[in-house]
Amino acid sequence: MILNNDEYTVVFDGITDVDLQQTFTCGQCFRWDQWQDGWRGFAGPYQCYVYQTDDKIVVNSFNPVEDMETFGKYMAHYLSLDMDYAALREKFSRDEMMKKAIEYAPGIRVMTQPFFETLITFIISRNNNIPRIKKIVDAMARTYGTETGGMYAFPQADQLAGVTVEQYNELRMGFRSKYVYDAVQKVLSGQVSEEFIRESDYETAKKHLMQIKGVGPKVADCVLLFSCEKWESFPKDVWINRALEQMFPDGLPECIKGLEGIAQQYIFQYARFNLEK
DNA sequence: ACCCAGGGTAACT
DNA sequence: AGTTACCATGGG
């Protein structure tokens, strides 16, 4: 990790097995857009431009960064660069179907995104498609988020404190409006908290999230996987169900035990583009 | 009009 | 505990 304090840039050197395209478009996040030779968006509080070369990932903050060391560590964790994916892929590839799925998109990393943002966006994902999820999430940011340099950060919970169901309806959320409203209230009151989830086991954490109206097993699993590092959580949507039928009729292989969620992301991407409806 | 989309819930066996 | 209707919205 090389830090450039003058340009607020972090360079991760010697990385050849990450593909930003695959990572940002595999359905785990909804707010990274292609820009210049890479991608721009928010990694938590950091508004960034991220691009890669043959063996480097470069993260450039648009805004001044106080503590570059902290920024670097945050980005490494956000992009899961601090995990040994080579070992993980090798282990998963003991199973032939997993090997096939990984070969389709070997550069995927399961990111660790901010809790509140992940919770709300996956509530919006319910019975929805990825382009429209992106549209609604973007409308939320533009309407209630903080603007910096022409971009809008996803709002914090307190920025949504006074927002009504009717106001969410104006963002075309439809029947999901009341669920977003309930989630905001429960986060603000502390009835639902990331801290509780992080100190709980997977099952307890899942039940905790399912207190929220409109949050069932699928949305809970997405939040646990994409923001709380519960790697055993395995979100099941229509594509995963097709994959389970067509690729894993005898159940999931033993070699992904404990890390089912990461395996799930390879399977999801493979299924979306290779399986029949 | 009909189909689908990174589902949830209630009401059944 | 597992299956089955029904729910709800916008985009194609």
Side-chain angles (χ1 to χ4, degrees):
Chain A
M1 186 166 84
I2 302 162
L3 306 174
N4 181 327
N5 290 295
D6 297 326
E7 295 175 7
Y8 310 118
T9 297
V10 183
V11 179
F12 299 101
D13 207 353
I15 295 182
T16 55
D17 68 335
V18 173
D19 188 312
L20 292 176
Q21 162 88 23
Q22 292 170 10
T23 298
F24 289 148
T25 62
C26 67
Q28 62 179 322
C29 59
F30 303 102
R31 296 208 67 228
W32 282 94
D33 299 313
Q34 266 185 305
W35 189 68
Q36 293 185 3
D37 298 320
W39 300 79
R40 70 172 174 179
F42 285 86
Y46 303 105
Q47 183 186 0
C48 305
Y49 168 44
V50 188
Y51 62 94
Q52 65 184 139
T53 62
D54 288 341
D55 63 346
K56 289 179 180 60
I57 287 184
V58 182
V59 187
N60 178 16
S61 170
F62 285 122
N63 302 309
V65 173
E66 269 187 39
D67 182 348
M68 286 298 293
E69 189 75 29
T70 303
F71 176 48
K73 279 184 186 159
Y74 185 90
M75 288 311 304
H77 194 57
Y78 180 83
L79 293 169
S80 278
L81 303 179
D82 53 0
M83 240 169 123
D84 187 355
Y85 266 62
L88 188 147
R89 286 190 304 270
E90 192 186 335
K91 194 175 161 196
F92 288 180
S93 295
R94 285 179 211 160
D95 178 82
E96 280 309 310
M97 278 301 169
M98 277 310 304
K99 189 176 176 188
K100 206 166 166 181
I102 289 170
E103 279 170 357
Y104 179 70
I108 286 179
R109 296 268 166 149
V110 176
M111 299 148 66
T112 298
Q113 303 172 66
F115 172 72
F116 180 69
E117 177 177 339
T118 308
L119 172 61
I120 301 300
T121 54
F122 278 92
I123 287 173
I124 292 167
S125 80
R126 183 176 155 186
N127 259 62
N128 214 340
N129 54 62
I130 292 175
R132 197 159 74 96
I133 296 165
K134 290 184 72 159
K135 203 182 236 177
I136 296 171
V137 173
D138 196 55
M140 277 191 89
R142 287 174 186 282
T143 310
Y144 302 109
T146 303
E147 191 243 318
T148 56
M151 289 173 62
Y152 293 82
F154 191 82
Q156 299 294 120
D158 55 43
Q159 291 179 285
L160 299 175
V163 182
T164 63
V165 172
E166 288 70 27
Q167 287 175 293
Y168 290 131
N169 281 334
E170 289 170 11
L171 305 182
R172 320 310 297 163
M173 283 185 204
F175 65 92
R176 305 161 190 87
S177 293
K178 51 183 177 288
Y179 305 138
V180 170
Y181 180 85
D182 189 56
V184 171
Q185 303 314 310
K186 288 193 164 102
V187 168
L188 285 173
S189 72
Q191 190 182 334
V192 166
S193 85
E194 179 180 10
E195 195 182 1
F196 178 86
I197 290 169
R198 284 193 172 270
E199 60 197 23
S200 302
D201 59 43
Y202 166 69
E203 292 295 342
T204 308
K206 189 164 174 176
K207 283 178 192 152
H208 182 71
L209 279 172
M210 287 170 63
Q211 298 178 95
I212 301 168
K213 288 175 194 162
V215 174
K218 162 64 169 60
V219 172
D221 274 329
C222 285
V223 176
L224 294 175
L225 177 61
F226 299 136
S227 79
C228 301
E229 301 173 75
K230 302 289 190 209
W231 307 121
E232 66 269 56
S233 98
F234 190 85
K236 285 180 187 163
D237 73 315
V238 285
W239 285 109
I240 286 294
N241 285 330
R242 282 168 197 147
L244 290 178
E245 287 171 19
Q246 298 176 38
M247 297 168 70
F248 302 99
D250 303 321
L252 292 170
E254 193 67 24
C255 62
I256 66 170
K257 203 99 190 163
L259 299 168
E260 289 88 341
I262 297 175
Q264 190 268 11
Q265 210 51 22
Y266 294 112
I267 299 168
F268 175 72
Q269 194 69 345
Y270 178 84
R272 265 211 299 165
F273 296 104
N274 295 284
L275 297 185
E276 300 294 329
K277 285 186 180 179

Tab-separated table of all heavy atoms in Angstrom, chain A residues 108-162:
chain	number	residue	atom	x	y	z
A	108	ILE	N	-14.202	-11.277	-8.981
A	108	ILE	CA	-15.194	-10.761	-8.025
A	108	ILE	C	-14.609	-10.724	-6.622
A	108	ILE	O	-13.909	-11.637	-6.203
A	108	ILE	CB	-16.462	-11.652	-8.009
A	108	ILE	CG1	-17.289	-11.422	-9.278
A	108	ILE	CG2	-17.304	-11.394	-6.768
A	108	ILE	CD1	-18.545	-12.278	-9.338
A	109	ARG	N	-14.893	-9.656	-5.898
A	109	ARG	CA	-14.640	-9.593	-4.454
A	109	ARG	C	-15.939	-9.216	-3.779
A	109	ARG	O	-16.646	-8.314	-4.254
A	109	ARG	CB	-13.602	-8.519	-4.120
A	109	ARG	CG	-12.231	-8.773	-4.688
A	109	ARG	CD	-11.365	-9.537	-3.709
A	109	ARG	NE	-10.189	-10.067	-4.363
A	109	ARG	CZ	-9.016	-10.241	-3.764
A	109	ARG	NH1	-8.864	-9.914	-2.499
A	109	ARG	NH2	-8.006	-10.752	-4.427
A	110	VAL	N	-16.256	-9.861	-2.696
A	110	VAL	CA	-17.417	-9.457	-1.914
A	110	VAL	C	-16.981	-8.305	-1.021
A	110	VAL	O	-16.086	-8.451	-0.189
A	110	VAL	CB	-17.982	-10.614	-1.078
A	110	VAL	CG1	-19.120	-10.133	-0.193
A	110	VAL	CG2	-18.456	-11.741	-1.990
A	111	MET	N	-17.586	-7.146	-1.260
A	111	MET	CA	-17.191	-5.940	-0.532
A	111	MET	C	-17.824	-5.895	0.853
A	111	MET	O	-18.745	-6.644	1.151
A	111	MET	CB	-17.653	-4.704	-1.322
A	111	MET	CG	-17.027	-4.602	-2.703
A	111	MET	SD	-18.135	-3.827	-3.885
A	111	MET	CE	-18.221	-2.179	-3.220
A	112	THR	N	-17.306	-4.994	1.694
A	112	THR	CA	-17.944	-4.732	2.988
A	112	THR	C	-18.392	-3.283	2.991
A	112	THR	O	-17.588	-2.364	3.114
A	112	THR	CB	-16.979	-5.005	4.149
A	112	THR	OG1	-16.618	-6.389	4.116
A	112	THR	CG2	-17.641	-4.694	5.487
A	113	GLN	N	-19.693	-3.085	2.793
A	113	GLN	CA	-20.264	-1.756	2.614
A	113	GLN	C	-20.918	-1.257	3.897
A	113	GLN	O	-21.207	-2.039	4.801
A	113	GLN	CB	-21.297	-1.812	1.481
A	113	GLN	CG	-20.728	-2.323	0.163
A	113	GLN	CD	-21.813	-2.549	-0.868
A	113	GLN	OE1	-22.459	-1.612	-1.313
A	113	GLN	NE2	-22.021	-3.799	-1.246
A	114	PRO	N	-21.199	0.045	3.962
A	114	PRO	CA	-21.820	0.610	5.161
A	114	PRO	C	-23.174	-0.038	5.458
A	114	PRO	O	-23.961	-0.281	4.550
A	114	PRO	CB	-21.998	2.091	4.813
A	114	PRO	CG	-20.977	2.362	3.771
A	114	PRO	CD	-20.864	1.093	2.983
A	115	PHE	N	-23.404	-0.297	6.725
A	115	PHE	CA	-24.594	-1.035	7.165
A	115	PHE	C	-25.912	-0.386	6.733
A	115	PHE	O	-26.746	-1.022	6.092
A	115	PHE	CB	-24.561	-1.195	8.690
A	115	PHE	CG	-25.828	-1.761	9.256
A	115	PHE	CD1	-26.145	-3.104	9.067
A	115	PHE	CD2	-26.697	-0.965	9.979
A	115	PHE	CE1	-27.313	-3.636	9.583
A	115	PHE	CE2	-27.872	-1.491	10.495
A	115	PHE	CZ	-28.177	-2.823	10.296
A	116	PHE	N	-26.094	0.877	7.082
A	116	PHE	CA	-27.396	1.521	6.833
A	116	PHE	C	-27.735	1.574	5.343
A	116	PHE	O	-28.840	1.232	4.920
A	116	PHE	CB	-27.415	2.933	7.439
A	116	PHE	CG	-28.718	3.641	7.225
A	116	PHE	CD1	-29.873	3.222	7.877
A	116	PHE	CD2	-28.793	4.732	6.365
A	116	PHE	CE1	-31.078	3.872	7.669
A	116	PHE	CE2	-29.992	5.378	6.159
A	116	PHE	CZ	-31.141	4.944	6.809
A	117	GLU	N	-26.755	1.981	4.565
A	117	GLU	CA	-26.927	2.056	3.116
A	117	GLU	C	-27.296	0.693	2.516
A	117	GLU	O	-28.184	0.583	1.676
A	117	GLU	CB	-25.608	2.568	2.510
A	117	GLU	CG	-25.571	2.635	1.017
A	117	GLU	CD	-24.247	3.232	0.515
A	117	GLU	OE1	-23.567	3.932	1.295
A	117	GLU	OE2	-23.910	2.990	-0.651
A	118	THR	N	-26.616	-0.334	2.986
A	118	THR	CA	-26.874	-1.682	2.482
A	118	THR	C	-28.268	-2.148	2.871
A	118	THR	O	-29.001	-2.719	2.054
A	118	THR	CB	-25.816	-2.657	3.021
A	118	THR	OG1	-24.517	-2.135	2.743
A	118	THR	CG2	-25.948	-4.019	2.372
A	119	LEU	N	-28.644	-1.869	4.106
A	119	LEU	CA	-29.976	-2.248	4.581
A	119	LEU	C	-31.065	-1.621	3.716
A	119	LEU	O	-31.957	-2.306	3.218
A	119	LEU	CB	-30.139	-1.811	6.043
A	119	LEU	CG	-31.531	-1.960	6.656
A	119	LEU	CD1	-31.981	-3.410	6.672
A	119	LEU	CD2	-31.562	-1.374	8.071
A	120	ILE	N	-30.987	-0.328	3.515
A	120	ILE	CA	-32.031	0.369	2.754
A	120	ILE	C	-32.048	-0.064	1.291
A	120	ILE	O	-33.113	-0.325	0.724
A	120	ILE	CB	-31.843	1.905	2.844
A	120	ILE	CG1	-31.903	2.376	4.304
A	120	ILE	CG2	-32.896	2.620	2.004
A	120	ILE	CD1	-33.196	2.091	5.025
A	121	THR	N	-30.880	-0.177	0.683
A	121	THR	CA	-30.882	-0.517	-0.744
A	121	THR	C	-31.416	-1.925	-0.989
A	121	THR	O	-32.077	-2.176	-1.983
A	121	THR	CB	-29.489	-0.376	-1.389
A	121	THR	OG1	-28.545	-1.150	-0.654
A	121	THR	CG2	-29.035	1.053	-1.419
A	122	PHE	N	-31.170	-2.843	-0.048
A	122	PHE	CA	-31.682	-4.198	-0.276
A	122	PHE	C	-33.141	-4.337	0.122
A	122	PHE	O	-33.819	-5.255	-0.341
A	122	PHE	CB	-30.767	-5.251	0.343
A	122	PHE	CG	-29.610	-5.544	-0.568
A	122	PHE	CD1	-28.418	-4.848	-0.443
A	122	PHE	CD2	-29.738	-6.453	-1.604
A	122	PHE	CE1	-27.360	-5.067	-1.323
A	122	PHE	CE2	-28.697	-6.680	-2.489
A	122	PHE	CZ	-27.498	-5.985	-2.347
A	123	ILE	N	-33.660	-3.415	0.920
A	123	ILE	CA	-35.113	-3.368	1.111
A	123	ILE	C	-35.757	-2.924	-0.205
A	123	ILE	O	-36.771	-3.470	-0.636
A	123	ILE	CB	-35.484	-2.404	2.264
A	123	ILE	CG1	-35.112	-3.031	3.605
A	123	ILE	CG2	-36.977	-2.078	2.239
A	123	ILE	CD1	-35.278	-2.106	4.797
A	124	ILE	N	-35.112	-1.971	-0.864
A	124	ILE	CA	-35.625	-1.482	-2.145
A	124	ILE	C	-35.516	-2.557	-3.233
A	124	ILE	O	-36.269	-2.571	-4.194
A	124	ILE	CB	-34.869	-0.196	-2.550
A	124	ILE	CG1	-35.251	0.932	-1.579
A	124	ILE	CG2	-35.168	0.212	-3.985
A	124	ILE	CD1	-34.369	2.144	-1.665
A	125	SER	N	-34.593	-3.499	-3.054
A	125	SER	CA	-34.378	-4.527	-4.071
A	125	SER	C	-35.520	-5.536	-4.144
A	125	SER	O	-35.609	-6.303	-5.104
A	125	SER	CB	-33.078	-5.276	-3.796
A	125	SER	OG	-33.262	-6.260	-2.778
A	126	ARG	N	-36.396	-5.504	-3.144
A	126	ARG	CA	-37.439	-6.522	-3.080
A	126	ARG	C	-38.349	-6.501	-4.324
A	126	ARG	O	-38.935	-5.472	-4.645
A	126	ARG	CB	-38.276	-6.315	-1.818
A	126	ARG	CG	-39.328	-7.359	-1.653
A	126	ARG	CD	-40.088	-7.200	-0.365
A	126	ARG	NE	-41.398	-7.794	-0.509
A	126	ARG	CZ	-42.340	-7.720	0.413
A	126	ARG	NH1	-42.142	-7.075	1.542
A	126	ARG	NH2	-43.493	-8.294	0.218
A	127	ASN	N	-38.504	-7.647	-4.963
A	127	ASN	CA	-39.282	-7.754	-6.208
A	127	ASN	C	-38.983	-6.604	-7.155
A	127	ASN	O	-39.880	-5.888	-7.594
A	127	ASN	CB	-40.782	-7.788	-5.897
A	127	ASN	CG	-41.303	-9.202	-5.965
A	127	ASN	OD1	-40.853	-10.045	-5.202
A	127	ASN	ND2	-42.209	-9.463	-6.862
A	128	ASN	N	-37.729	-6.411	-7.428
A	128	ASN	CA	-37.286	-5.275	-8.234
A	128	ASN	C	-36.119	-5.734	-9.096
A	128	ASN	O	-35.519	-6.763	-8.847
A	128	ASN	CB	-36.858	-4.137	-7.300
A	128	ASN	CG	-37.155	-2.783	-7.872
A	128	ASN	OD1	-37.330	-2.640	-9.075
A	128	ASN	ND2	-37.191	-1.781	-7.013
A	129	ASN	N	-35.816	-4.958	-10.123
A	129	ASN	CA	-34.660	-5.319	-10.942
A	129	ASN	C	-33.534	-4.312	-10.768
A	129	ASN	O	-33.748	-3.176	-10.342
A	129	ASN	CB	-35.055	-5.457	-12.416
A	129	ASN	CG	-35.751	-4.232	-12.925
A	129	ASN	OD1	-35.175	-3.147	-12.948
A	129	ASN	ND2	-37.002	-4.368	-13.346
A	130	ILE	N	-32.328	-4.750	-11.082
A	130	ILE	CA	-31.141	-3.970	-10.744
A	130	ILE	C	-31.147	-2.544	-11.329
A	130	ILE	O	-30.862	-1.595	-10.604
A	130	ILE	CB	-29.849	-4.746	-11.102
A	130	ILE	CG1	-29.731	-5.968	-10.176
A	130	ILE	CG2	-28.618	-3.874	-10.964
A	130	ILE	CD1	-28.572	-6.901	-10.463
A	131	PRO	N	-31.509	-2.349	-12.600
A	131	PRO	CA	-31.528	-0.967	-13.114
A	131	PRO	C	-32.470	-0.050	-12.333
A	131	PRO	O	-32.135	1.106	-12.059
A	131	PRO	CB	-32.015	-1.140	-14.560
A	131	PRO	CG	-31.619	-2.523	-14.927
A	131	PRO	CD	-31.738	-3.323	-13.674
A	132	ARG	N	-33.641	-0.572	-11.975
A	132	ARG	CA	-34.578	0.290	-11.264
A	132	ARG	C	-34.157	0.497	-9.804
A	132	ARG	O	-34.407	1.550	-9.224
A	132	ARG	CB	-36.007	-0.257	-11.329
A	132	ARG	CG	-37.038	0.822	-10.973
A	132	ARG	CD	-38.414	0.496	-11.493
A	132	ARG	NE	-39.030	-0.554	-10.730
A	132	ARG	CZ	-39.878	-0.346	-9.728
A	132	ARG	NH1	-40.205	0.875	-9.378
A	132	ARG	NH2	-40.400	-1.347	-9.087
A	133	ILE	N	-33.525	-0.514	-9.207
A	133	ILE	CA	-33.002	-0.339	-7.852
A	133	ILE	C	-32.009	0.817	-7.868
A	133	ILE	O	-32.057	1.722	-7.024
A	133	ILE	CB	-32.284	-1.624	-7.358
A	133	ILE	CG1	-33.270	-2.783	-7.255
A	133	ILE	CG2	-31.617	-1.385	-6.005
A	133	ILE	CD1	-32.603	-4.141	-7.129
A	134	LYS	N	-31.127	0.812	-8.856
A	134	LYS	CA	-30.123	1.872	-8.968
A	134	LYS	C	-30.775	3.239	-9.093
A	134	LYS	O	-30.347	4.215	-8.476
A	134	LYS	CB	-29.216	1.625	-10.184
A	134	LYS	CG	-28.298	0.439	-10.013
A	134	LYS	CD	-27.353	0.274	-11.178
A	134	LYS	CE	-26.282	1.354	-11.169
A	134	LYS	NZ	-25.102	0.946	-11.954
A	135	LYS	N	-31.827	3.296	-9.881
A	135	LYS	CA	-32.530	4.559	-10.113
A	135	LYS	C	-33.126	5.115	-8.810
A	135	LYS	O	-32.970	6.285	-8.500
A	135	LYS	CB	-33.641	4.317	-11.142
A	135	LYS	CG	-34.101	5.541	-11.892
A	135	LYS	CD	-35.231	5.154	-12.831
A	135	LYS	CE	-34.926	5.543	-14.270
A	135	LYS	NZ	-35.994	5.108	-15.183
A	136	ILE	N	-33.774	4.244	-8.061
A	136	ILE	CA	-34.421	4.680	-6.822
A	136	ILE	C	-33.376	5.077	-5.775
A	136	ILE	O	-33.511	6.108	-5.100
A	136	ILE	CB	-35.339	3.567	-6.258
A	136	ILE	CG1	-36.494	3.289	-7.227
A	136	ILE	CG2	-35.880	3.958	-4.888
A	136	ILE	CD1	-37.332	2.078	-6.876
A	137	VAL	N	-32.320	4.278	-5.662
A	137	VAL	CA	-31.267	4.578	-4.688
A	137	VAL	C	-30.606	5.915	-5.026
A	137	VAL	O	-30.323	6.741	-4.143
A	137	VAL	CB	-30.214	3.440	-4.647
A	137	VAL	CG1	-29.033	3.816	-3.783
A	137	VAL	CG2	-30.859	2.162	-4.133
A	138	ASP	N	-30.405	6.141	-6.309
A	138	ASP	CA	-29.822	7.405	-6.744
A	138	ASP	C	-30.751	8.578	-6.425
A	138	ASP	O	-30.300	9.633	-5.968
A	138	ASP	CB	-29.542	7.343	-8.253
A	138	ASP	CG	-28.598	8.430	-8.690
A	138	ASP	OD1	-27.498	8.511	-8.104
A	138	ASP	OD2	-28.956	9.215	-9.590
A	139	ALA	N	-32.037	8.374	-6.612
A	139	ALA	CA	-33.012	9.425	-6.283
A	139	ALA	C	-32.982	9.736	-4.792
A	139	ALA	O	-33.082	10.901	-4.378
A	139	ALA	CB	-34.404	8.991	-6.718
A	140	MET	N	-32.818	8.712	-3.972
A	140	MET	CA	-32.719	8.924	-2.517
A	140	MET	C	-31.516	9.790	-2.189
A	140	MET	O	-31.604	10.722	-1.384
A	140	MET	CB	-32.546	7.584	-1.792
A	140	MET	CG	-33.821	6.849	-1.543
A	140	MET	SD	-33.540	5.465	-0.429
A	140	MET	CE	-33.793	6.257	1.156
A	141	ALA	N	-30.381	9.463	-2.817
A	141	ALA	CA	-29.155	10.218	-2.541
A	141	ALA	C	-29.310	11.672	-2.984
A	141	ALA	O	-28.955	12.598	-2.252
A	141	ALA	CB	-27.975	9.554	-3.240
A	142	ARG	N	-29.860	11.874	-4.162
A	142	ARG	CA	-30.024	13.230	-4.677
A	142	ARG	C	-30.992	14.051	-3.842
A	142	ARG	O	-30.840	15.255	-3.694
A	142	ARG	CB	-30.527	13.197	-6.125
A	142	ARG	CG	-29.465	12.757	-7.108
A	142	ARG	CD	-30.037	12.608	-8.506
A	142	ARG	NE	-29.041	12.047	-9.402
A	142	ARG	CZ	-28.041	12.750	-9.935
A	142	ARG	NH1	-27.950	14.048	-9.686
A	142	ARG	NH2	-27.164	12.174	-10.719
A	143	THR	N	-31.994	13.387	-3.310
A	143	THR	CA	-33.023	14.104	-2.553
A	143	THR	C	-32.618	14.348	-1.106
A	143	THR	O	-32.865	15.418	-0.561
A	143	THR	CB	-34.347	13.308	-2.590
A	143	THR	OG1	-34.635	12.955	-3.943
A	143	THR	CG2	-35.492	14.143	-2.035
A	144	TYR	N	-31.984	13.376	-0.488
A	144	TYR	CA	-31.726	13.482	0.954
A	144	TYR	C	-30.251	13.400	1.352
A	144	TYR	O	-29.919	13.607	2.510
A	144	TYR	CB	-32.516	12.393	1.694
A	144	TYR	CG	-33.999	12.477	1.439
A	144	TYR	CD1	-34.658	11.520	0.653
A	144	TYR	CD2	-34.743	13.533	1.960
A	144	TYR	CE1	-36.020	11.606	0.404
A	144	TYR	CE2	-36.102	13.626	1.719
A	144	TYR	CZ	-36.739	12.666	0.940
A	144	TYR	OH	-38.079	12.762	0.691
A	145	GLY	N	-29.381	13.096	0.399
A	145	GLY	CA	-27.968	12.953	0.734
A	145	GLY	C	-27.218	14.276	0.646
A	145	GLY	O	-27.739	15.273	0.168
A	146	THR	N	-25.978	14.247	1.101
A	146	THR	CA	-25.144	15.432	1.089
A	146	THR	C	-24.361	15.513	-0.214
A	146	THR	O	-23.780	14.529	-0.658
A	146	THR	CB	-24.150	15.379	2.273
A	146	THR	OG1	-24.907	15.246	3.474
A	146	THR	CG2	-23.308	16.653	2.333
A	147	GLU	N	-24.385	16.683	-0.820
A	147	GLU	CA	-23.683	16.874	-2.077
A	147	GLU	C	-22.231	17.291	-1.857
A	147	GLU	O	-21.936	18.148	-1.039
A	147	GLU	CB	-24.391	17.947	-2.911
A	147	GLU	CG	-23.883	18.016	-4.333
A	147	GLU	CD	-23.236	19.343	-4.671
A	147	GLU	OE1	-23.767	20.380	-4.270
A	147	GLU	OE2	-22.186	19.315	-5.340
A	148	THR	N	-21.326	16.614	-2.579
A	148	THR	CA	-19.946	17.095	-2.641
A	148	THR	C	-19.479	16.915	-4.073
A	148	THR	O	-19.594	15.826	-4.635
A	148	THR	CB	-18.995	16.312	-1.708
A	148	THR	OG1	-19.071	14.923	-2.034
A	148	THR	CG2	-19.332	16.516	-0.254
A	149	GLY	N	-18.976	17.949	-4.650
A	149	GLY	CA	-18.412	17.870	-5.995
A	149	GLY	C	-19.337	17.275	-7.036
A	149	GLY	O	-18.917	16.482	-7.860
A	150	GLY	N	-20.608	17.657	-6.989
A	150	GLY	CA	-21.540	17.182	-8.007
A	150	GLY	C	-22.059	15.773	-7.796
A	150	GLY	O	-22.835	15.269	-8.594
A	151	MET	N	-21.620	15.148	-6.704
A	151	MET	CA	-22.141	13.814	-6.401
A	151	MET	C	-22.829	13.831	-5.042
A	151	MET	O	-22.501	14.633	-4.189
A	151	MET	CB	-20.999	12.787	-6.390
A	151	MET	CG	-20.442	12.504	-7.771
A	151	MET	SD	-18.990	11.455	-7.682
A	151	MET	CE	-19.669	9.979	-6.964
A	152	TYR	N	-23.741	12.900	-4.891
A	152	TYR	CA	-24.508	12.863	-3.651
A	152	TYR	C	-24.233	11.582	-2.883
A	152	TYR	O	-24.388	10.486	-3.422
A	152	TYR	CB	-26.007	12.962	-3.955
A	152	TYR	CG	-26.401	14.301	-4.525
A	152	TYR	CD1	-26.242	14.578	-5.877
A	152	TYR	CD2	-26.906	15.305	-3.701
A	152	TYR	CE1	-26.588	15.805	-6.404
A	152	TYR	CE2	-27.258	16.546	-4.206
A	152	TYR	CZ	-27.093	16.801	-5.565
A	152	TYR	OH	-27.436	18.013	-6.072
A	153	ALA	N	-23.855	11.736	-1.625
A	153	ALA	CA	-23.634	10.573	-0.771
A	153	ALA	C	-24.979	9.968	-0.392
A	153	ALA	O	-25.983	10.691	-0.319
A	153	ALA	CB	-22.883	10.986	0.490
A	154	PHE	N	-25.006	8.688	-0.151
A	154	PHE	CA	-26.235	8.083	0.346
A	154	PHE	C	-26.515	8.665	1.723
A	154	PHE	O	-25.606	8.818	2.533
A	154	PHE	CB	-26.108	6.561	0.422
A	154	PHE	CG	-27.423	5.892	0.682
A	154	PHE	CD1	-28.297	5.648	-0.362
A	154	PHE	CD2	-27.802	5.554	1.973
A	154	PHE	CE1	-29.540	5.062	-0.131
A	154	PHE	CE2	-29.045	4.969	2.218
A	154	PHE	CZ	-29.906	4.720	1.163
A	155	PRO	N	-27.775	9.046	1.987
A	155	PRO	CA	-28.076	9.697	3.275
A	155	PRO	C	-27.797	8.820	4.491
A	155	PRO	O	-27.956	7.603	4.434
A	155	PRO	CB	-29.578	10.008	3.167
A	155	PRO	CG	-30.086	9.166	2.048
A	155	PRO	CD	-28.950	8.947	1.123
A	156	GLN	N	-27.400	9.460	5.562
A	156	GLN	CA	-27.292	8.778	6.852
A	156	GLN	C	-28.697	8.646	7.416
A	156	GLN	O	-29.613	9.378	7.007
A	156	GLN	CB	-26.434	9.594	7.817
A	156	GLN	CG	-25.015	9.837	7.372
A	156	GLN	CD	-24.214	8.566	7.302
A	156	GLN	OE1	-23.710	8.202	6.252
A	156	GLN	NE2	-24.126	7.844	8.411
A	157	ALA	N	-28.870	7.767	8.396
A	157	ALA	CA	-30.202	7.543	8.970
A	157	ALA	C	-30.824	8.840	9.479
A	157	ALA	O	-32.011	9.096	9.261
A	157	ALA	CB	-30.125	6.511	10.092
A	158	ASP	N	-30.021	9.682	10.134
A	158	ASP	CA	-30.615	10.900	10.711
A	158	ASP	C	-31.077	11.889	9.639
A	158	ASP	O	-31.933	12.723	9.883
A	158	ASP	CB	-29.658	11.572	11.702
A	158	ASP	CG	-28.302	11.863	11.081
A	158	ASP	OD1	-28.264	12.327	9.930
A	158	ASP	OD2	-27.277	11.614	11.748
A	159	GLN	N	-30.519	11.767	8.438
A	159	GLN	CA	-30.975	12.640	7.350
A	159	GLN	C	-32.352	12.225	6.835
A	159	GLN	O	-32.999	12.961	6.105
A	159	GLN	CB	-29.959	12.629	6.198
A	159	GLN	CG	-28.651	13.317	6.560
A	159	GLN	CD	-27.653	13.268	5.406
A	159	GLN	OE1	-27.056	12.240	5.136
A	159	GLN	NE2	-27.489	14.379	4.723
A	160	LEU	N	-32.785	11.031	7.218
A	160	LEU	CA	-34.096	10.544	6.784
A	160	LEU	C	-35.113	10.568	7.923
A	160	LEU	O	-36.233	10.076	7.785
A	160	LEU	CB	-33.961	9.109	6.251
A	160	LEU	CG	-33.044	8.935	5.034
A	160	LEU	CD1	-32.901	7.461	4.680
A	160	LEU	CD2	-33.571	9.719	3.844
A	161	ALA	N	-34.696	11.162	9.038
A	161	ALA	CA	-35.525	11.121	10.254
A	161	ALA	C	-36.942	11.651	10.020
A	161	ALA	O	-37.906	11.063	10.500
A	161	ALA	CB	-34.845	11.892	11.371
A	162	GLY	N	-37.077	12.755	9.282
A	162	GLY	CA	-38.405	13.352	9.134
A	162	GLY	C	-39.125	12.986	7.846
A	162	GLY	O	-40.191	13.522	7.547
